[in-house]
C-alpha cells in the first residue's frame, strides 16, 4: 500500500514510467515513480498543484509527453508537462459543463466528455482549440470515454442507460441502448469502459453485475457475459491482449478485489482482495510492461500495487517531495 496525503480518484500508468493519479479535493495531480537500484527500491512521490483553485481534477489520460486531465469543478482541461511539470489549462467553451472522462486518440488529439453539457469535445494540442459536438440527448451524465480506435470514439451515458459512439469521419453518432434481453435483466447503466484497437467496446455494469461487449458492425449486438461474482460492483475494467488472448482486469468495489478473467470464456484466472472496510476503490490501471495492476482507494486514502504472481504487495514510500 502507498499512503497518500489526500484521496485519489483516477489512476493511469505511463509518461516517464510513472503512476499518475488525481487528488480532487487537494486540487493536485500526483505521480509515483518506482526507482530500483540493485536491491534497494525507492518510491518517489511528486505533487503538482493546479493554477485554478478548487478545480477538482477528475480523470486522466497520459501520452509520451503530457498528462491530460479534466477539471470537473473548474470547467477546464489541464495539461501537465512530464518533462518540467508545467501545467497549462484550457477553458471549456460551455460554462459549468463538468468535464469528466478524457482520452488521447492515436492521432494525438485529446477527446473528453461533458457530463452536464451533454457534449463530446476534442482538443487539438497544436492550436489549443476545443471543438464541441452535441450528442443529441439531454441528461446523459456522460462519464467514460475511450478513443483507442481511430474510427470511433466510445462514451458511456449512464443517465440515459446508453453507449454512444462518435465517428469523426462521418460526423455522426451511433446510439446504443444498454439492454440485456435475458430473463430477469433489462436496461443497464455502464460503469467501466474499455475498447479494443479495432473498435469493439467492453462495458461493466452494477445491476445484475456482468460485463458485455458490443459487436459493432455486421453483428451489431450485445454479447453479455455472466460474471463469476454475483454481488459485484464493477467500477472499472481494462482490456489486456496477451499473446492473442483477450484478458480483462476488473475492479469490484463491493467485494474490494481485483480480478483477471479470460474474456473469451469468462474463466476466473486471478483474484486478489485488497483494502479494508473503509476503502472506496475507484479506478484501476494496468502496466503491460511490468504487468503490475495499480488501484486507487479514495477511502483510506492510498494506492495499491498488485504484482505478478498477483498477490497484493505492501510498500512504504521512502522519498517524498
Amino acid at each position: 500500500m502507498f499512503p497518500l496525503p489526500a484521496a485519489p480518484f483516477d489512476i493511469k500508468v505511463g509518461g516517464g514510467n510513472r503512476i499518475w493519479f488525481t487528488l480532487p479535493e487537494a486540487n493536485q495531480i500526483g505521480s509515483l515513480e518506482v526507482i530500483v537500484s540493485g536491491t534497494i527500491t525507492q518510491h518517489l512521490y511528486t505533487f503538482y498543484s493546479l493554477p485554478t483553485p478548487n478545480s477538482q481534477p477528475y480523470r486522466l489520460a497520459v501520452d509520451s509527453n503530457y498528462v491530460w486531465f479534466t477539471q470537473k469543478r473548474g470547467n477546464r482541461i489541464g495539461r501537465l508537462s512530464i518533462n518540467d511539470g508545467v501545467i497549462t489549462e484550457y477553458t471549456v467553451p460551455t460554462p459549468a459543463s463538468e468535464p469528466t472522462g478524457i482520452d488521447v486518440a492515436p492521432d494525438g488529439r485529446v477527446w473528453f466528455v461533458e457530463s452536464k453539457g451533454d457534449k463530446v469535445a476534442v482538443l487539438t494540442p497544436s492550436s489549443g482549440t476545443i471543438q464541441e459536438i452535441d450528442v443529441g440527448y439531454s441528461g446523459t451524465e456522460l462519464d467514460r470515454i475511450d478513443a483507442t480506435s481511430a474510427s470511433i470514439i466510445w462514451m458511456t451515458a449512464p443517465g440515459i442507460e446508453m453507449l454512444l459512439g462518435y465517428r469523426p469521419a462521418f460526423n455522426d453518432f451511433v446510439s446504443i441502448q444498454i439492454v440485456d434481453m435475458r430473463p430477469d435483466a433489462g436496461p443497464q447503466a455502464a460503469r467501466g469502459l474499455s475498447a479494443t484497437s479495432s473498435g469493439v467496446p467492453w462495458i461493466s455494469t452494477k445491476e445484475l453485475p456482468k460485463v458485455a461487449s458490443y459487436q459493432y458492425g455486421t453483428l451489431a449486438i450485445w454479447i453479455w457475459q455472466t460474471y463469476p461474482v454475483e454481488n459485484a460492483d464493477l467500477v472499472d475494467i481494462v482490456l489486456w491482449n496477451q499473446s492473442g488472448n483477450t484478458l480483462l482486469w476488473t475492479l469490484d468495489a463491493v467485494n474490494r478485489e481485483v480480478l483477471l478473467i479470460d474474456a473469451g470464456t469468462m474463466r476466473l484466472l486471478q483474484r486478489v482482495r485488497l483494502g479494508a472496510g473503509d476503502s472506496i476503490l475507484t479506478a484501476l490501471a494496468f502496466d503491460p510492461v511490468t504487468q503490475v495492476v495499480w488501484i486507487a482507494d479514495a477511502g483510506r486514502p492510498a494506492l495499491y500495487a498488485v504484482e505478478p504472481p498477483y498477490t497484493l504487495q505492501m510498500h512504504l514510500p521512502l522519498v517524498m517531495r
Side-chain angles (χ1 to χ4, degrees):
M1 182 178 74
F2 298 81
L4 296 173
F9 182 74
D10 200 17
I11 186 169
K12 289 290 185 292
V13 176
N17 296 318
R18 300 191 207 177
I19 315 306
W20 297 90
F21 49 93
T22 56
L23 300 172
E25 296 310 311
N27 204 45
Q28 293 179 328
I29 300 297
S31 78
L32 170 61
E33 186 176 3
V34 181
I35 303 172
V36 180
S37 178
T39 59
I40 299 175
T41 301
Q42 293 182 313
H43 305 99
L44 175 63
Y45 285 107
T46 308
F47 299 100
Y48 305 86
S49 296
L50 306 191
T52 300
N54 303 313
S55 67
Q56 194 183 7
Y58 197 67
R59 295 204 187 276
L60 293 167
V62 182
D63 61 26
S64 58
N65 297 311
Y66 300 105
V67 177
W68 299 89
F69 53 93
T70 53
Q71 296 167 251
K72 188 175 181 182
R73 194 181 297 143
N75 204 52
R76 288 168 168 81
I77 301 302
R79 186 191 73 182
L80 186 155
S81 171
I82 295 171
N83 182 48
D84 56 18
V86 172
I87 294 176
T88 304
E89 295 181 323
Y90 305 86
T91 301
V92 178
T94 298
S97 67
E98 294 194 6
T100 48
I102 188 168
D103 200 11
V104 180
D107 63 4
R109 294 192 296 171
V110 181
W111 291 85
F112 63 94
V113 289
E114 304 171 17
S115 61
K116 296 302 181 185
D118 296 314
K119 296 173 182 176
V120 61
V122 58
L123 187 158
T124 303
S126 59
S127 63
T129 59
I130 294 176
Q131 176 190 1
E132 297 177 303
I133 306 113
D134 195 305
V135 299
Y137 297 91
S138 60
T140 56
E141 299 176 14
L142 296 168
D143 183 21
R144 302 277 188 168
I145 187 168
D146 193 302
T148 302
S149 171
S151 59
I152 188 164
I153 312 297
W154 293 108
M155 63 206 81
T156 61
I160 56 174
E161 297 175 333
M162 295 184 76
L163 179 71
L164 304 177
Y166 176 68
R167 302 190 299 176
F170 301 97
N171 189 29
D172 67 359
F173 285 89
V174 177
S175 302
I176 306 161
Q177 191 173 17
I178 302 174
V179 177
D180 185 348
M181 302 304 294
R182 295 180 298 180
D184 300 322
Q188 305 283 315
R191 300 277 272 166
L193 171 67
S194 187
T196 67
S197 58
S198 61
V200 176
W202 285 74
I203 63 166
S204 63
T205 63
K206 178 179 180 180
E207 295 79 9
L208 294 172
K210 58 181 80 74
V211 294
S213 61
Y214 187 78
Q215 303 303 312
Y216 173 69
T218 54
L219 292 175
I221 58 170
W222 284 109
I223 296 180
W224 292 92
Q225 306 282 3
T226 301
Y227 193 70
V229 182
E230 291 186 359
N231 67 331
D233 179 7
L234 305 183
V235 296
D236 203 3
I237 59 172
V238 174
L239 290 170
W240 175 28
N241 189 289
Q242 184 187 49
S243 302
N245 294 326
T246 300
L247 305 178
L248 187 67
W249 286 105
T250 65
L251 181 62
D252 179 359
V254 167
N255 298 292
R256 303 192 308 275
E257 57 189 14
V258 59
L259 283 76
L260 177 63
I261 296 169
D262 185 312
T265 64
M266 292 306 291
R267 182 169 62 95
L268 180 60
L269 303 177
Q270 299 286 345
R271 186 175 186 178
V272 181
R273 180 155 293 190
L274 60 157
D278 57 350
S279 291
I280 304 173
L281 306 181
T282 56
L284 68 82
F286 177 67
D287 186 340
V289 177
T290 63
Q291 298 187 6
V292 175
V293 184
W294 292 88
I295 299 98
D297 185 346
R300 299 207 71 178
L303 304 177
Y304 303 101
V306 179
E307 304 175 353
Y310 300 117
T311 55
L312 181 63
Q313 301 297 310
M314 307 293 286
H315 303 278
L316 292 176
L318 300 182
V319 182
M320 296 182 67
R321 70 181 183 194

